[in-house]
Amino acid sequence: MNNQDHPISYEVSRLSEMDIYLFKQGTHTKLYDKLGAHVMVHEGKDGVYFAVWAPNASYVSVRGDFNRYNTASHPLQLRSDESGIWEGFIENVEQGLTYKYHIVSKFHNIVHDKSDPFAFYSEQPPKSASRVWSLEGYDWKDQHWMRERHLNNAHDAPISVYEMHLGSWRRKVENDNRPLSYRELSTELVNYLKEMNYTHVEFMPLSEYPYDGSWGYQVVGYFAATARYGTPQDLMFLIDVLHENGIGVIMDWVPSHFAVDMHGLINFDGTALYEHDDPRQGYHPEWGSIIFNYGRNEVQSFLISSAMFWLDRYHIDGIRVDAVASMLYLNYARKEGEWIPNVYGGNENLEAIEFLKKLNVSVYGEFSDIMMIAEESTAYPMVTRPVSVGGLGFGFKWNMGWMHDSLKYMSYDPIHRQHHHHQLTFSMWYGFDENFMLPLSHDEVVHMKGSLINKMPGDVNQKFAHLRTLFAYMTAHPGKKLLFMGGEIAQYAEWNFERSLDWHLLDNPMHKGLNKMVSDLNRLYRDERALHMYDVMREGFEWIDDRDYSHNCLSFVRKSDNPADDIYVVCNFADATRENYHMGVLREGEYVEIFNSQSSEYHGWSIGNHEPLQTFQTSTHGREHSISMTLPPLGVVYLKQKKSDKSLQ
């Protein structure tokens, strides 16, 4: 084909000798500036520089809209430095045009048409071509947020996260049931998050993925914002508006495995380039996906650059690294004989462990004010401890044990809970071994597990009381908070990625009341320093009574650096009112109820303590001073000493 309109030249490169060195060492952290498709001017000519890593290819060309997808007209040239990178500059290729790499392997006559691993934008699935796209030109307005975000992401900050799937949060039913766009979310979602007093939102994966049913967890485009909801600049706008309204943005990121779709990374140049060749190392039996080869330096550079990209170009405030447990263990989801031990004969994936350490050191080295969060379900030690002392270097870890134990406990009929009291108290035995985030995540409301409200026992009134109790207990428990969308409106149906949340439920007073309570709890958690300041430190927690199993009751104190901030939390998981319930307190004076999950405001049962509670000189729970209160059934109350008390002055 005649390519006079789009001549190709090989005199330009964005790659220096240092780039190649760092790439091959596994320490290049910004490959997105070098590889992929970059709109640029060369010798006065507008065009696009293309560069792709395919060391085992014998031929690579760019085919796209501009050459009618011809495989022969625009071949790239292999660099002479043994990097395995092919490159070339093609004139007059405009933004928005689609393209793929045509790759002929040196081996077995394998021929692939691949999307660009470093593309910034792609066609909307199920189409699979990459798009030429520039990320330049967006005018960020979040300078104040970026200056101050170290305060909002700190271990002593209130971090209350709304986890959500963009495509099913709210849909335009009147418009073919389509999901909201990034731009529409910048109004509707932002208003809702502010109303609900969330500090952060966590998006399930935004990187491009082919199959809707994977929810984004089987990725093909590690640098491409999914085209389902708009352009990259539209996503930037959404994040910008969230920041302008004081809301941080966390993104799920999946370095543990990738999609098997043939236009993606799999068998990229006719060989196992990004993955392990041996299926005992390279195939994920649980998810039917492909596992990265963490021992390959170029793959480390690719993945670290991906994490860095979202923080750099999209101002993301935190990354939740998905499925860390599957990365740490070679025998994860495998039977005996289906995995290969490490060099010491153990089941630890030493290469993945070193990769995670390098990832966290690299990312925190560049962005010290962000959060790296591990979704890790085992007892692997020191996940959130610095790499310098032998840890993995994450900032936070999801407390999966707390989630499973709490939900299991709540599923029991109250009459049987006294026999399972340890499932509530056990979390405090290890509660400060890591910097924990308490999740009630999407994983618990899919695959026939039932919605949160339907995990609760009893009739409708009791189910709501149980769920209010769970949320109030969670807010008071040490650790940052995360709730998956739909839980805050007590959605009955399991989450379905193809349909909207059931927002009409808020027309019902019980659902509306629970929704208001979640908003109030988020506000209390944000405003009361004792509820968040020492979330990851033992100094912030003291049991009052953890042994009242016969009554299904728990009581404890949350503290800050000021005794005046202390908040007493009393939980009654029994379906019985406790009149004259005595509790020891640290200081004499008057105590007032600042929260009650059974308040009529939340469509509760209006049982509680409307007047201040005066201490009396009787030793209870090993403390000199006591108060007597009414403890509502299936309820949680927060108490605080009145500021006027001399004991606080």
Side-chain angles (χ1 to χ4, degrees), residues 489-500:
I489 63 173
Q491 176 156 313
Y492 290 117
E494 276 196 336
W495 170 57
N496 182 338
F497 70 93
E498 295 180 304
R499 52 175 295 222
S500 171

Side-chain angles (χ1 to χ4, degrees), residues 52-63:
V52 62
W53 179 50
N56 298 302
S58 61
Y59 177 85
V60 178
S61 67
V62 183
R63 58 188 309 218

